[in-house]
Amino acid sequence: MAAGSTPAIRALTQAKVSHRVHAYKHDPRADSYGTEAVDALGAELGVAAEQIFKTLVIELATGSLAVAVLPVPNTLSLKAAAAALGAPKAGMADKIRAERTTGYVLGGISPLGQRKPLPTVIDDSALRWDRMLCSAGRRGLEIELAPADLIRLTTAVTAPVTSA
């Protein structure tokens, strides 16, 4: 699959958003997809681990799915994510349902170009950076873009959604 062929990259190209695509060799034995991206790209690109974001699919108390985007080293506060999205509580989404709804496989779920766009919350720490990285829609592929562009294209809310 060509790097430019993911729905996430096509969404950025169609919106004429400045971005860069970074590929690395995905190890199928990796325990953490996010940590793998940090290890592969952090030093090479000169970015902090907190500048590389993971995309987690959560299920709100209403039964609907949503997306939380947060720095790889941090842990998601489900309570904070739910509150930011106007729900009383949330839990992690079922893997199969997350993959079917987004059109991406676990470890390659992008906040962009989802089969069914989901409500999104992005950790407000993203606003500290000029550029951030997130999944490009395939394991071993990351997109570098301005946080404001990701927020705009996903119609995301920003809030502190990591555990202290």
Side-chain angles (χ1 to χ4, degrees), residues 50-142:
E50 295 80 14
Q51 209 168 339
I52 302 176
F53 284 67
K54 57 189 170 186
T55 306
L56 302 177
V57 181
I58 59 175
E59 183 174 345
L60 303 175
T62 59
S64 62
L65 296 184
V67 169
V69 181
L70 63 150
V72 167
N74 297 21
T75 303
L76 177 65
S77 165
L78 288 164
K79 183 177 181 177
L85 294 165
K89 64 182 182 175
M92 293 306 297
D94 172 74
K95 172 190 172 191
I96 293 169
R97 185 170 176 217
E99 290 180 340
R100 279 193 193 133
T101 304
T102 63
Y104 294 119
V105 298
L106 204 66
I109 294 177
S110 177
L112 296 159
Q114 298 169 0
R115 182 177 292 146
K116 178 185 178 209
L118 297 173
T120 302
V121 59
I122 298 173
D123 187 67
D124 63 357
S125 68
L127 301 172
R128 289 186 303 182
W129 307 106
D130 291 337
R131 309 291 282 171
M132 64 184 288
L133 284 88
C134 65
S135 176
R138 191 176 80 215
R139 294 173 187 157
L141 205 59
E142 295 282 310

